[in-house]
Amino acid sequence: MKIWQKNIDVDSFVETFTVGQDREMDLQLAGADVLGSLAHTRMLNSIGLMTDADLGAVQQELKNIYQEILSDSFQIEDSVEDVHSQVEMMLTERIGEAGKKIHSGRSRNDQVLVDLKLYFRSEIESIFKNTELLFEQLISLSNTYKSVLMPGYTHLQIAMPSSFGLWFGAYAESLVDDLHLLKAAWAVCNKNPLGSAAGYGSSFPLNRTMTTQLLGFDDLNYNVVYAQMGRGKTERILAQAMSSIAATLAKFAMDVTLFINQNFGFISFPAHLTTGSSIMPHKKNPDVFELIRSRCNKIQALPNEIALMTTNLPVGYHRDLQLLKENLFPAFQSLNDCLAIAKYMLEHITIKEDILNDPKYDYLFSVEVVNNEVLQGIPFREAYRNIGLAIEEGTFQPAKEVNHTHEGSIGNLCNDQIERMFAEVKQEFGFEKVEQALAELLK
């Protein structure tokens, strides 16, 4: 019997279809489910709905179950519908009647909502930490190769001189902006829906502010109807933030696959980090970056997938929302894997340092020559025309000294300012507050 069943068994075909992959997905929510119950039962005790003796037994056994989850010995049995039912069943089997009291004042609806919020917070922190490691690697490479020039392109045509310092630094700064979106997702996830029950509140005198503090949330989802409306919206906002990071990674991966090509030859990687061909012995394929590109393009589709799955759902809970886990949960691992492998690959990158000595890149310096004439007093339009004619007549002579000094240019990368912006957005998350609250809850 399910915890919500009365006297009639559900048809096995219907049960299999409705449960779907929930057991597998819910294993990832197990730790969060226990944390939510630890806070909820302490609140129940504070309003007289659980005795001190029952609370002591429940709290200790929940902490035991939490340790089982950490050690990977926790399982959701085939006969049990979801993680919430599994934890409650284990409590009841181990400590008796006290285990049956933990569901007072809540529904599976707000229970899964708080589980998801706690789980999403944890995943956001993991994504942030991996993004930070990649950011630091990009900044380090930017500083190391700040004076090494490379071609800059517009329309995939050679345009103006760039540098590896600019290239690496550009992606570092891109990640900073991506983290602002992740911070917005964090703010949405860091509000407490517990106590909204099935979306219409409870006649029990619940103390929702207490559970908010115990779980380290910044604030409440106050309106109980809106708390339920947040299901699907929260996932979509989080997916949009992940999509932004993925877009930066996919773009960088495309650059790498282009620049490693023999017709460019700007960068290379050791043979043991590339793959080969079954018939062409010369091949060194950038499979890692091709897969980063594809995985990240897949993640960029995620917000639209979630939007289409939740479009036009009326107010209240709907079973459609269960399927969001199947789309979103695997994306966390995929994005973290892409961030980690990108950082690892960049630890082994080799940069070619004499690229612009090739005469085919001479025209990159046309703007430099125009600007030099302007500095000598020639009007810009006239200088532009003079150099254009020299290029057409084949008499153009490049001036390969590059003297860019303004903020963010080749000679003034401003990486210290990009690092400052990163530190500022990192501070806004407040991971420490959450970690302290949960550590206190688990004492």
Side-chain angles (χ1 to χ4, degrees):
M1 295 286 286
K2 305 294 180 291
I3 59 173
W4 49 266
Q5 268 184 254
K6 307 301 183 294
N7 299 310
I8 302 173
D9 288 336
V10 175
D11 182 274
S12 61
F13 192 14
V14 170
E15 179 182 356
T16 299
F17 182 79
T18 55
V19 171
Q21 298 183 41
D22 235 24
R23 294 188 188 94
E24 296 86 342
M25 296 291 111
D26 274 12
L27 279 174
Q28 298 177 65
L29 297 178
D33 193 73
V34 171
L35 292 171
S37 291
L38 283 168
H40 182 69
T41 52
R42 283 178 61 175
M43 185 274 295
L44 291 179
N45 172 254
S46 75
I47 62 172
L49 286 180
M50 183 171 284
T51 66
D52 291 347
D54 283 347
L55 177 67
V58 166
Q59 290 274 310
Q60 184 55 57
E61 197 53 47
L62 282 172
K63 291 172 185 177
N64 291 340
I65 293 171
Y66 192 79
Q67 292 304 314
E68 292 173 26
I69 294 166
L70 293 182
S71 65
D72 292 328
S73 59
F74 176 89
Q75 294 294 327
I76 300 174
E77 298 173 18
D78 290 342
S79 60
V80 177
E81 187 175 19
D82 54 34
V83 67
H84 326 299
S85 304
Q86 181 69 39
V87 170
E88 185 173 332
M89 183 192 73
M90 291 169 69
L91 274 177
T92 304
E93 287 178 349
R94 295 179 184 183
I95 64 173
E97 291 297 308
K100 298 179 181 179
K101 299 178 181 180
I102 70 168
H103 204 59
S104 300
R106 69 179 179 183
S107 164
R108 284 198 306 172
N109 291 357
D110 66 334
Q111 192 173 354
V112 72
L113 278 171
V114 78
D115 287 5
L116 288 169
K117 291 288 190 80
L118 294 171
Y119 173 62
F120 292 161
R121 283 193 323 194
S122 175
E123 290 300 323
I124 287 172
E125 185 171 6
S126 294
I127 291 169
F128 180 92
K129 288 179 177 178
N130 279 315
T131 302
E132 182 175 30
L133 292 173
L134 178 58
F135 172 85
E136 291 171 348
Q137 182 68 26
L138 288 165
I139 288 290
S140 175
L141 288 167
S142 179
N143 289 331
T144 299
Y145 297 104
K146 63 184 179 181
S147 300
V148 180
L149 297 182
M150 65 183 293
Y153 296 87
T154 64
H155 306 274
L156 268 182
Q157 308 297 305
I158 58 172
M160 290 178 64
S162 181
S163 71
F164 284 98
L166 277 179
W167 183 55
F168 288 122
Y171 284 101
E173 186 170 351
S174 181
L175 290 175
V176 174
D177 279 353
D178 297 335
L179 289 179
H180 282 290
L181 295 181
L182 192 66
K183 171 58 180 65
W186 171 266
V188 172
C189 292
N190 208 20
K191 293 180 180 178
N192 181 21
L194 190 59
S196 59
Y200 304 99
S202 171
S203 58
F204 292 123
L206 305 177
N207 187 344
R208 298 188 64 211
T209 298
M210 180 180 178
T211 56
T212 298
Q213 294 168 346
L214 289 172
L215 291 166
F217 286 111
D218 279 341
D219 214 333
L220 277 143
N221 287 131
Y222 287 97
N223 186 295
V224 293
V225 171
Y226 178 66
Q228 287 297 317
M229 286 168 59
R231 183 92 184 266
K233 181 177 182 178
T234 300
E235 287 91 333
R236 186 173 70 254
I237 291 170
L238 178 51
Q240 287 166 342
M242 295 168 64
S243 173
S244 186
I245 297 172
T248 294
L249 279 175
K251 193 177 191 73
F252 181 72
M254 182 61 217
D255 282 358
V256 170
T257 58
L258 199 65
F259 294 162
I260 200 175
N261 176 279
Q262 292 89 338
N263 292 326
F264 290 81
F266 300 165
I267 60 176
S268 62
F269 293 92
H272 69 279
L273 299 181
T274 61
T275 62
S277 163
S278 62
I279 63 170
M280 295 173 283
H282 66 280
K283 294 295 291 295
K284 288 175 64 176
N285 298 324
D287 286 14
V288 166
F289 287 97
E290 291 172 338
L291 289 172
I292 289 174
R293 182 176 58 196
S294 187
R295 283 193 185 202
C296 288
N297 287 341
K298 184 177 179 181
I299 291 169
Q300 288 184 82
L302 190 58
N304 194 47
E305 291 175 0
I306 293 173
L308 290 174
M309 293 168 73
T310 57
T311 293
N312 297 333
L313 291 183
V315 69
Y317 174 77
H318 307 278
R319 196 67 179 258
D320 313 52
L321 299 168
Q322 170 182 301
L323 300 183
L324 298 180
K325 291 184 282 190
E326 297 177 16
N327 292 59
L328 182 57
F329 285 17
F332 292 130
Q333 184 67 52
S334 186
L335 182 56
N336 278 313
D337 286 347
C338 289
L339 288 163
I341 195 72
K343 193 260 184 184
Y344 177 75
M345 293 294 288
L346 289 179
E347 292 172 356
H348 303 278
I349 194 170
T350 298
I351 304 299
K352 186 176 181 182
E353 300 204 6
D354 58 352
I355 298 170
L356 299 192
N357 290 342
D358 191 320
K360 71 184 175 186
Y361 296 120
D362 283 355
Y363 292 145
L364 280 170
F365 299 94
S366 64
V367 177
E368 307 300 315
V369 178
V370 170
N371 290 350
N372 287 341
E373 291 203 1
V374 171
L375 290 172
Q376 295 169 20
I378 299 173
F380 177 82
R381 290 302 175 193
E382 186 176 334
Y384 178 90
R385 183 174 179 277
N386 291 340
I387 303 308
L389 288 172
I391 290 172
E392 289 179 12
E393 294 167 359
T395 60
F396 171 75
Q397 293 297 317
K400 295 193 175 183
E401 292 295 324
V402 175
N403 185 32
H404 296 185
T405 60
H406 67 75
E407 298 91 338
S409 63
I410 291 174
N412 185 12
L413 295 175
C414 291
N415 283 343
D416 57 336
Q417 297 304 314
I418 296 172
E419 290 178 287
R420 171 188 57 78
M421 292 192 298
F422 187 96
E424 288 173 354
V425 71
K426 178 179 181 179
Q427 188 64 32
E428 292 174 4
F429 281 85
F431 295 127
E432 299 80 7
K433 175 189 172 183
V434 170
E435 291 165 2
Q436 291 169 4
L438 298 186
E440 185 68 27
L441 192 62
L442 287 164
K443 279 186 178 177

